Amino acid sequence: MKPFVCMKTVAKVILSAFAVLCVGMLSVVPANAQTTGPSLWMDKLEFAPGEAISLHFTAPAGLPTNAWIGIIPSNIPHGDESVNDQHDISYRYLDGLTSGTLTFSAPTTPGTYDFRMHNTDSDGVELKSATFTVVTPGGGGGGTGVGGVSISLAKTVFSPGESITVTFTAPPGLPDSGWIGIVPSSVSHGDESTNDMNDIEYHYMKGMTSGTLTFTAPAMIGSYDFRMNDNDSNGRELTSITFMVQ
């Protein structure tokens, strides 16, 4: 259990070397950026179910024609092409292209997903990824759970150390230890105790059913979530929204 304070000053855990590598792989790059390596970026980070997504990419020269980019749920571990291949929702082969734009349809189920680039379709490796969120229409610019529970942000891309204002609605009757925290997107969703082990910063909601909380963007670039949890003692995650630090 956390000490009952409003904000952590340090992360509770140090990410493993693999997790650091995964976070470092995640990026969203403006469409006019000059890149020197593989890259993936979108014009926005939130989509409605089934909405068309234009994905811009650059890829290394010399990849085989079966190098591919696919949509993978964010809770799938990064790095292994064969693992991603087992979980992709849709995909496109690069066919030798080193840059371009591919069109995908957003998954029909709300949640957090990645575009992941791979060097081959035969026991290859993941080269790059970029995270996006599918939200139901009317979700107010944020993740929406049952009963109108929501987290929203004015924008979804921040600089390291930038102040972030989170607007939330929560169910009535939650204990004072209901909390919202910043958790790396690579951490699996649903279990409050898992979020509790991996959060970088958090605030208790103290029984409020709506309001705003102020956080500081993590110093490390990558993909993160704000996750709302119903209590601080083996509870459950109620909703989340993804943002990028770049």
Side-chain angles (χ1 to χ4, degrees):
M1 173 155 325
K2 301 181 180 70
F4 196 83
V5 295
C6 289
M7 181 181 294
K8 290 187 182 149
T9 57
V10 294
K12 292 185 298 182
V13 296
I14 299 174
L15 296 175
S16 68
F18 177 72
V20 170
L21 174 62
C22 291
V23 171
M25 288 166 58
L26 297 170
S27 65
V28 172
V29 184
N32 60 356
Q34 298 298 313
T35 58
T36 57
S39 63
L40 299 169
W41 70 98
M42 295 153 279
D43 299 321
K44 60 179 183 175
L45 294 176
E46 284 189 358
F47 301 89
E51 182 178 352
I53 304 176
S54 294
L55 177 72
H56 313 290
F57 72 91
T58 62
L63 292 182
T65 57
N66 67 349
W68 61 283
I69 296 172
I71 296 177
I72 318 293
S74 292
N75 63 339
I76 302 303
H78 286 263
D80 187 345
E81 180 271 337
S82 61
V83 173
N84 289 339
D85 196 18
Q86 294 175 24
H87 295 89
D88 65 276
I89 295 168
S90 63
Y91 69 92
R92 301 283 189 278
Y93 287 115
L94 298 184
D95 292 324
L97 295 174
T98 57
S99 64
T101 299
L102 300 172
T103 301
F104 292 80
S105 294
T108 57
T109 302
T112 304
Y113 300 88
D114 302 336
F115 283 107
R116 303 187 185 183
M117 178 189 294
H118 310 83
N119 66 338
T120 177
D121 192 22
S122 179
D123 296 321
V125 295
E126 180 181 331
L127 300 178
K128 197 73 175 178
S129 71
T131 301
F132 66 96
T133 305
V134 176
V135 298
T136 53
T144 303
V146 296
V149 177
S150 67
I151 302 174
S152 61
L153 303 170
K155 60 179 184 176
T156 53
V157 179
F158 299 89
S159 300
E162 184 176 351
S163 179
I164 305 176
T165 298
V166 173
T167 302
F168 70 90
T169 60
L174 290 185
D176 286 351
S177 62
W179 60 282
I180 295 173
I182 297 176
V183 181
S185 296
S186 58
V187 176
S188 59
H189 285 263
D191 182 20
E192 181 272 337
S193 61
T194 299
N195 291 338
D196 193 20
M197 292 169 57
N198 293 280
D199 65 280
I200 296 169
E201 181 184 348
Y202 72 92
H203 289 292
Y204 288 110
M205 293 181 288
K206 297 184 177 180
M208 294 188 296
T209 57
S210 63
T212 60
L213 299 170
T214 302
F215 292 81
T216 300
M220 181 177 292
I221 62 171
S223 177
Y224 300 88
D225 303 336
F226 284 105
R227 303 188 185 184
M228 180 188 296
N229 304 271
D230 62 352
N231 68 71
D232 191 24
S233 181
N234 297 317
R236 62 189 180 94
E237 181 181 329
L238 299 178
T239 192
S240 68
I241 184 172
T242 300
F243 68 98
M244 301 295 299
V245 177
Q246 68 177 39

